[in-house]
Amino acid sequence: MSDPVALLRSMLAIRAFEDALAAHPEAGFQLLSSGEEAVAVGLCAALDADDQLLSSGRSIGPALARGLDPDRVMAELLGRATGPCKGKGGRGHLAEPAAGFFGAHAVVGGNLTIAAGVALAMKLGRRAGIVACVFGDGACGAGALHETLNIAALWKLPLLLVCDNNGWSVSTPRAEALAPRKLSDLASPFGIPGMTVDGMDVLAVRDAARALAGRIRAGEGPAFLECVAERFASHSTATRETRSPAELEAVRARCPIRRLAMALSSEGTLAPDAWRALERDATDAAARAIRYAEASPPTDVAEITRDVG
Amino acid sequence: MSPKSPAMSAERPAATKVFFREAIARALTEAMHRDPRVIVLGQDVGRHGGAYREFAGLHAAFGADRVRDMPVAEASIVGVGVGAAAAGLRPLVSITYMDFVMLGLDALVNYGAKVRYKTGGQLHAPIVVKTTAGAKGQGVAHSQSLEAWLVGVPGLKVVAPSTPADAYGLLASALEEEDPVVYVDHKRLFPIAGWVPDAPVRVPIGRAVVRRHGAHVTIATHSYMCRVADAAADRLAGAGIDCEIVDLRTLWPLDVATVASSVARTGALLTLEEGQMACGIGAELAYRVREEIGTMRVARLGAARAPISGNPRLESASLPSPDDVVAAVRGLVEPDRRPTARTP
């Protein structure tokens, strides 16, 4: 699952899926992760079947990288009954705990204390597995992170905190929102090991996540991984882009998919026709997911009063 | 204190007179023996045994893994509890003052109350948030009764006992619910003892009870205000006005049927709460009772629309008193003596 070609395939699948989804605005706006695929894919390469992953609302990358069925994820995002959440969660709230994706939560920083609770349940239940929680740099200015770091360190929770630092809180650049020089420094007052890696390098993310997950699996308590990434589009498909075309062009030149593909072809492990086949497979799979979702029944309005508790 | 019931007979089941804190500790002890998934999280819940000693003995009996002290950080107390609940545990989290439930509302409202819905039933959060409402001289940020806020959240159930038997019975029921329950004690009830059946008698969530029978007016209330209503009813009885008091016990789901059936007999409803009246329990209840039975005479009482000062003179003037209840009831049963309404 985690050899470089598999990582490339996984990143391509996310990109093609989101490109196909973006052509279907009828189900509302979407939170796309183009540019940040390496964070989700590199992290998931370090996770085992018994682990649970939680994410922010920017959850398509994490959900697909974790191995959720793209057909059903597309159905969820297009409001169909065949989605894992019956089309009731949708964008920002994808979840399939049975597949190791405990779920996304679209409140910035809102999944951090929840993830600590999931980790506590795993620890007390002596269950195998660790919990990983992906959040944006936007969550690093919130008190929830401080509270989570504190309790996770105190209780030695099996929790891997992964900051997908795309540099923006909607329109506010990181430098205008957050004081720390490195976001992984936030972990050090709690004695939590922290690392900062290039989030556009899927192999670097995978290797760092594996190293930190290994410590956690050995019972050494939580760890913090900052992945410095780029967001290729605006905050959401409904949000104005504040960067200039020239800035965006420079950002997109750092594409993590092209970077890995070029590295693999220059070392001779990816022939041009193999690359074209990977691209075609990803596009075909995305088109299949759209067809599956469109052929699925819309979520019945009677669902409004079900699962309310 | 644990005297045995003096009136033990074939008709009356054995009971023991206990304080609220003892009833709470008993419900938790039994639940923790029965179900290893039940844990307690919060501030001062461990060796200290709880701010009101309502967790006394749990740490010694079940250990620090299951009875966990947490930092003074309510957002994470509730968040960790809700996350652990969604992942298979059954936590009770203690928030010493209801005012500080606010700090945990994101996790409770945006996650706990919605996780069953948003995951299409894949996850649910069987958590009990136990907290204490009511004014007892502690000032503007330690005195509020915010039940009505929580009633506005789909996915939350809210219970508030007025007797030790209901404290035991409602908490025992709450600990077996599959979705979040907010259990609300009241500071002025802790010094009061009452009979609790020795058998494990649950109080079902969503069921009100008639505490006092009367023909002339229905007073619907909950928690400590049941005692204010009762004091007023004693005085009114001397003047020939018989009050029926309905203790709501559960604020969501509201037992409208029990109140409506009482008001259908008495023809008049006074709602009485310690919280704010605007969008309050009384407003909701009065409207729904009216939907059930059509016309009725109705009035409501609640706190003045002002912060609750720690100054005892101001505090007591902010809250409904037996005098206020007497005047409001007289206004309902003798319409020409309607008192000046307190502006919400």
Side-chain angles (χ1 to χ4, degrees), chain B residues 7-88:
Chain B
M8 233 181 277
S9 71
E11 295 81 44
R12 180 162 177 171
T16 304
K17 195 167 192 183
V18 300
F19 289 110
F20 274 76
R21 59 179 162 79
E22 296 168 295
I24 293 160
R26 180 184 149 200
L28 266 168
T29 302
E30 291 173 2
M32 293 181 79
H33 276 302
R34 197 168 50 239
D35 188 342
R37 297 171 300 172
V38 177
I39 64 168
V40 179
L41 302 171
Q43 202 192 327
D44 305 320
V45 300
R47 283 191 194 83
H48 189 62
Y52 306 99
R53 289 191 286 155
E54 74 273 45
F55 305 116
L58 296 180
H59 184 270
F62 300 103
D65 262 5
R66 292 181 68 192
V67 184
R68 304 178 84 93
D69 277 322
M70 288 191 70
V72 191
E74 287 82 359
S76 57
I77 294 175
V78 177
V80 167
V82 165

Side-chain angles (χ1 to χ4, degrees), chain B residues 5 37 50 81 142 166 225 229 325 344:
Chain B
S5 166
R37 297 171 300 172
H142 294 71
D166 282 358
M225 282 293 138
V325 175

Side-chain angles (χ1 to χ4, degrees), chain A residues 196-260:
Chain A
T196 293
V197 297
D198 181 355
M200 308 307 273
D201 179 351
V202 69
L203 301 176
V205 175
R206 178 198 63 185
D207 293 347
R210 272 188 183 160
L212 294 174
R215 291 179 53 109
I216 298 168
R217 291 185 206 289
E220 292 179 43
F224 189 110
L225 175 61
E226 177 192 12
C227 305
V228 182
E230 300 280 6
R231 195 183 73 203
F232 282 5
S234 58
H235 167 72
S236 81
T237 56
T239 311
R240 295 189 313 282
E241 178 57 77
T242 46
R243 294 168 289 185
S244 70
E247 279 177 281
L248 280 174
E249 195 182 339
V251 161
R252 287 173 182 156
R254 301 190 57 223
C255 177
I257 298 173
R258 201 182 316 154
R259 174 172 171 166
L260 179 60

Side-chain angles (χ1 to χ4, degrees), chain A residues 84-86 88-89 93 95-97 102 104-105 107 113-114 117-118 121 124 127 147 150-151 155 303-304 306-309, chain B residues 65 68-71 73 75-76 79-80 82-84 86-87 89 106 110-111 116-123 155 157 179:
Chain A
C85 308
K86 302 195 275 189
K88 300 169 80 167
H93 297 279
E96 193 170 3
F102 205 81
H105 191 45
V107 175
T113 61
I114 303 298
V118 177
L124 286 183
R127 286 186 246 163
E147 293 191 25
N150 181 56
I151 206 71
W155 291 351
E303 283 292 337
I304 289 172
R306 293 187 194 130
D307 305 317
V308 176
Chain B
D65 262 5
R68 304 178 84 93
D69 277 322
M70 288 191 70
S76 57
V80 167
V82 165
L89 297 182
D106 172 51
N110 281 324
Y111 193 90
R116 181 188 286 278
Y117 186 91
K118 76 171 193 159
T119 63
Q122 294 177 94
L123 295 174
K157 298 183 181 79
D179 294 287

Side-chain angles (χ1 to χ4, degrees), chain B residues 203-281:
Chain B
V203 173
I205 289 175
R207 197 90 47 88
V209 67
V210 177
R211 292 282 180 211
R212 179 178 184 131
H213 293 277
H216 300 134
V217 62
T218 301
I219 304 175
T221 186
H222 68 278
S223 189
Y224 177 69
M225 282 293 138
C226 289
R227 304 186 72 83
V228 172
D230 202 48
D234 284 345
R235 283 166 49 188
L236 287 160
I241 299 171
D242 293 333
C243 301
E244 182 143 302
I245 298 176
V246 180
D247 180 354
L248 297 169
R249 304 198 288 191
T250 297
L251 305 172
W252 196 274
L254 260 180
D255 183 358
V256 177
T258 293
V259 181
S261 128
S262 170
V263 179
R265 288 193 302 275
T266 63
L269 171 64
L270 173 67
T271 66
L272 170 63
E273 62 200 297
E274 189 171 325
Q276 289 288 313
M277 280 184 285
C279 302
I281 305 293

